[in-house]
Amino acid sequence: KAGVTQTPRYLIKTRGQQVTLSCSPISGHRSVSWYQQTPGQGLQFLFEYFSETQRNKGNFPGRFSGRQFSNSRSEMNVSTLELGDSALYLCASSFGAGTGTFYTYEQYFGPGTRLTVT
Amino acid sequence: GENVEQHPSTLSVQEGDSAVIKCTYSDSASNYFPWYKQELGKGPQLIIDIRSNVGEKKDQRIAVTLNKTAKHFSLHITETQPEDSAVYFCAASGPSNTGKLIFGQGTTLQVKP
């Protein structure tokens, strides 16, 4: 079974630009979560999508947005890039569950996209 | 707010020794506690997890224990090998039915041959 794939693996952008990152989950998984990893702040939750709906959002500014397509692939977008947005962006794939199911499924991470903002 | 504290931040052991990493969580509603191993240049890899209805779980050289009352959970690695060297993260589940995990700050484990 193929794992989680993320593209591109590396990106260099300039302040003020915008960027779109892509994540393809494990086949059959319907939930995709995004995390930002930095040396100072560690792993921080950005948002989660399940069946094309954003189900939870972390404490990040509105410049960070995402979406999920009907095939469960997800994209995240960062507009008006700042130097502090330089980080490893990770997506995690999970089987997920519908409303009313109080069960957290295992999450499997992709290799990440390394974003450098200059 | 939601928080996970992880200790120690660095751990150096001799090959063959045991290593223990400890975490404390704040949200009593958390019911799922995974552990991840991250090697340089890679994404975190799920190595073991435990749910709130279980006190202990073991998988070969790795074990995890959970004390719900104290809101503590720990990772135990026995007979450490150089390939165990990596950064280890603990996490606790956020609101039920969502994919949110709250991560600890990580422990850099070095196993000396």
Side-chain angles (χ1 to χ4, degrees):
Chain A
K1 208 174 196 182
V4 181
T5 58
Q6 291 188 245
T7 57
R9 291 293 312 278
Y10 302 92
L11 264 178
I12 300 176
K13 290 286 188 179
T14 305
R15 271 181 301 176
Q17 288 186 316
Q18 74 161 11
V19 67
T20 299
L21 313 180
S22 181
C23 172
S24 291
I26 293 168
S27 178
H29 284 190
R30 295 184 295 168
S31 169
V32 173
S33 298
W34 288 90
Y35 293 83
Q36 181 195 65
Q37 185 175 27
T38 59
Q41 299 297 316
L43 278 150
Q44 292 190 291
F45 174 80
L46 281 156
F47 30 65
E48 184 222 6
Y49 285 86
F50 176 78
S51 292
E52 302 179 65
T53 300
Q54 186 181 87
R55 204 155 57 164
N56 201 356
K57 191 177 190 306
N59 296 323
F60 280 83
R63 300 185 296 107
F64 291 82
S65 63
R67 59 177 176 168
Q68 187 180 34
F69 302 94
S70 58
N71 61 358
S72 294
R73 189 178 71 84
S74 178
E75 288 182 348
M76 69 162 280
N77 183 275
V78 188
S79 62
T80 320
L81 284 166
E82 300 177 359
L83 294 178
D85 296 334
S86 293
L88 180 67
Y89 289 89
L90 294 156
C91 81
S93 165
S94 172
F95 183 75
T99 304
T101 303
F102 296 95
Y103 186 87
T104 303
Y105 284 87
E106 297 80 0
Q107 291 189 29
Y108 300 93
F109 282 85
T113 294
R114 172 73 61 185
L115 172 65
T116 303
V117 182
T118 61
Chain B
E2 305 158 331
N3 188 46
V4 175
E5 296 284 339
Q6 181 172 346
H7 299 280
S9 57
T10 59
L11 180 58
S12 182
V13 300
Q14 211 61 39
E15 182 178 359
D17 287 349
S18 295
V20 180
I21 303 170
K22 298 182 178 182
C23 290
T24 304
Y25 62 99
S26 62
D27 189 351
S28 56
S30 293
N31 59 12
Y32 174 66
F33 307 91
W35 286 87
Y36 288 88
K37 175 184 180 182
Q38 188 173 27
E39 296 173 314
L40 205 59
K42 297 184 178 180
Q45 175 195 1
L46 178 65
I47 57 172
I48 196 168
D49 56 16
I50 192 167
R51 298 186 183 272
S52 57
N53 59 345
V54 175
E56 184 172 356
K57 183 176 179 180
K58 189 174 181 181
D59 182 4
Q60 298 182 353
R61 296 186 297 110
I62 294 174
V64 59
T65 58
L66 172 65
N67 182 330
K68 283 192 300 183
T69 304
K71 296 183 189 172
H72 289 168
F73 58 115
S74 301
L75 177 70
H76 304 252
I77 306 174
T78 58
E79 300 171 23
T80 53
Q81 301 166 3
E83 51 265 38
D84 294 330
S85 297
V87 181
Y88 290 80
F89 292 95
C90 64
S93 59
S96 293
N97 204 31
T98 71
K100 182 176 183 178
L101 294 176
I102 302 116
F103 282 84
Q105 287 298 310
T107 296
T108 300
L109 173 64
Q110 181 187 28
V111 180
K112 299 176 186 174

